[in-house]
Coordinates of all heavy atoms in Angstrom, one line a residue:
T1183 N -136.4 -21.3 8.1 CA -135.6 -20.1 8.3 C -136.4 -18.8 8.6 O -136.1 -18.1 9.5 CB -134.7 -19.8 7.1 OG1 -133.8 -20.9 6.9 CG2 -133.8 -18.6 7.3
R1184 N -137.5 -18.7 7.8 CA -138.4 -17.6 8.1 C -139.0 -17.6 9.5 O -139.1 -16.6 10.1 CB -139.6 -17.6 7.0 CG -139.1 -17.1 5.7 CD -140.4 -16.9 4.8 NE -139.9 -16.7 3.4 CZ -140.0 -17.5 2.4 NH1 -140.6 -18.7 2.6 NH2 -139.6 -17.2 1.2
A1185 N -139.4 -18.8 9.9 CA -139.9 -18.9 11.3 C -138.9 -18.5 12.3 O -139.3 -17.8 13.3 CB -140.4 -20.4 11.5
V1186 N -137.7 -18.9 12.2 CA -136.6 -18.5 13.1 C -136.4 -17.0 13.1 O -136.3 -16.3 14.1 CB -135.3 -19.2 12.9 CG1 -134.2 -18.6 13.7 CG2 -135.5 -20.7 13.1
V1187 N -136.4 -16.4 11.9 CA -136.2 -14.9 11.8 C -137.3 -14.2 12.5 O -137.1 -13.2 13.2 CB -136.1 -14.5 10.3 CG1 -136.2 -13.0 10.1 CG2 -134.8 -15.0 9.7
V1188 N -138.6 -14.6 12.2 CA -139.7 -14.0 12.9 C -139.6 -14.1 14.4 O -139.7 -13.1 15.1 CB -141.1 -14.6 12.4 CG1 -142.2 -14.1 13.3 CG2 -141.3 -14.2 11.0
E1189 N -139.3 -15.3 14.9 CA -139.2 -15.5 16.3 C -138.1 -14.6 17.0 O -138.3 -13.9 18.0 CB -138.8 -17.0 16.6 CG -138.6 -17.3 18.0 CD -138.1 -18.8 18.2 OE1 -138.5 -19.6 17.4 OE2 -137.2 -19.0 19.0
R1190 N -136.9 -14.6 16.3 CA -135.8 -13.8 16.9 C -136.0 -12.3 16.8 O -135.7 -11.5 17.7 CB -134.5 -14.2 16.2 CG -134.1 -15.7 16.3 CD -133.5 -16.0 17.6 NE -133.3 -17.4 17.9 CZ -132.3 -18.1 17.5 NH1 -131.3 -17.6 16.8 NH2 -132.3 -19.4 17.7
S1191 N -136.6 -11.9 15.7 CA -136.9 -10.5 15.5 C -137.9 -10.0 16.5 O -137.8 -8.9 17.1 CB -137.4 -10.2 14.1 OG -136.4 -10.5 13.1
M1192 N -138.9 -10.8 16.7 CA -139.9 -10.4 17.7 C -139.3 -10.3 19.1 O -139.6 -9.4 19.9 CB -141.1 -11.3 17.6 CG -141.9 -11.1 16.4 SD -143.3 -12.3 16.1 CE -144.2 -12.1 17.6
A1194 N -136.2 -9.7 19.8 CA -135.4 -8.5 19.9 C -136.3 -7.2 20.1 O -135.9 -6.4 20.9 CB -134.6 -8.3 18.6
K1195 N -137.4 -7.1 19.4 CA -138.3 -6.0 19.6 C -138.8 -5.9 21.0 O -138.9 -4.9 21.6 CB -139.4 -6.0 18.6 CG -139.0 -5.7 17.2 CD -140.1 -5.8 16.2 CE -141.0 -4.7 16.2 NZ -140.5 -3.3 15.9
L1209 N -133.5 3.1 16.1 CA -132.8 2.4 15.0 C -132.8 0.9 15.2 O -133.1 0.1 14.3 CB -131.4 2.9 14.9 CG -130.5 2.3 13.8 CD1 -131.2 2.6 12.4 CD2 -129.2 2.9 13.8
M1210 N -132.5 0.4 16.4 CA -132.5 -1.0 16.6 C -133.9 -1.6 16.4 O -134.0 -2.7 15.9 CB -132.0 -1.3 18.0 CG -130.5 -1.1 18.2 SD -129.8 -1.6 19.7 CE -130.5 -0.4 20.9
D1211 N -134.9 -0.9 16.8 CA -136.3 -1.4 16.6 C -136.6 -1.4 15.1 O -137.3 -2.4 14.7 CB -137.3 -0.4 17.4 CG -138.7 -1.0 17.3 OD1 -138.9 -2.0 17.9 OD2 -139.5 -0.3 16.7
Q1212 N -136.2 -0.4 14.4 CA -136.4 -0.5 12.9 C -135.7 -1.6 12.3 O -136.2 -2.3 11.4 CB -136.0 0.9 12.3 CG -136.9 2.0 12.7 CD -136.3 3.4 12.2 OE1 -135.2 3.5 11.8 NE2 -137.1 4.4 12.3
I1213 N -134.5 -1.9 12.7 CA -133.7 -3.0 12.2 C -134.4 -4.3 12.4 O -134.6 -5.2 11.6 CB -132.3 -3.1 12.7 CG1 -131.5 -1.9 12.2 CG2 -131.6 -4.4 12.3 CD1 -130.1 -1.7 12.8
A1214 N -134.9 -4.5 13.7 CA -135.6 -5.8 14.1 C -136.9 -5.9 13.3 O -137.2 -6.9 12.8 CB -135.8 -5.8 15.6
G1215 N -137.6 -4.8 13.1 CA -138.8 -4.8 12.4 C -138.6 -5.0 10.9 O -139.4 -5.7 10.3
G1216 N -137.5 -4.5 10.4 CA -137.2 -4.7 9.0 C -136.9 -6.2 8.7 O -137.2 -6.7 7.6
M1217 N -136.4 -6.9 9.7 CA -136.2 -8.4 9.5 C -137.5 -9.1 9.3 O -137.6 -10.1 8.7 CB -135.4 -8.9 10.6 CG -134.0 -8.4 10.8 SD -133.0 -8.7 9.3 CE -132.8 -10.5 9.4
L1218 N -138.6 -8.6 10.0 CA -139.9 -9.2 9.9 C -140.5 -9.0 8.5 O -141.0 -10.0 7.9 CB -140.8 -8.7 10.9 CG -140.5 -9.0 12.4 CD1 -141.3 -8.1 13.3 CD2 -140.6 -10.4 12.6
G1219 N -140.5 -7.8 8.0 CA -141.0 -7.5 6.7 C -142.4 -8.0 6.4 O -143.0 -8.7 7.1
G1220 N -142.9 -7.6 5.3 CA -144.2 -8.0 4.7 C -145.2 -8.5 5.7 O -145.6 -7.8 6.7
A1221 N -145.8 -9.6 5.4 CA -146.9 -10.2 6.1 C -146.6 -10.5 7.6 O -147.5 -10.4 8.4 CB -147.5 -11.4 5.5
H1222 N -145.3 -10.8 7.9 CA -145.0 -11.2 9.3 C -145.0 -10.0 10.2 O -145.2 -10.1 11.4 CB -143.6 -11.8 9.3 CG -143.6 -13.1 8.6 ND1 -144.3 -14.2 9.0 CD2 -142.9 -13.5 7.5 CE1 -144.1 -15.2 8.2 NE2 -143.2 -14.8 7.3
S1223 N -145.0 -8.7 9.7 CA -145.0 -7.6 10.5 C -146.4 -7.5 11.2 O -146.5 -6.8 12.3 CB -144.7 -6.3 9.7 OG -145.7 -6.1 8.7
V1226 N -146.6 -9.0 15.1 CA -146.0 -8.4 16.2 C -147.0 -7.9 17.2 O -148.0 -7.4 16.9 CB -145.0 -7.3 15.8 CG1 -144.4 -6.6 17.0 CG2 -144.0 -7.8 14.9

Side-chain angles (χ1 to χ4, degrees):
T1183 300
R1184 284 187 189 113
V1186 170
V1187 168
V1188 168
E1189 176 187 323
R1190 302 279 171 88
S1191 296
M1192 291 174 58
K1195 290 177 75 62
L1209 181 58
M1210 288 187 289
D1211 187 66
Q1212 289 172 349
I1213 291 169
M1217 296 299 293
L1218 292 169
H1222 294 299
S1223 62
V1226 176

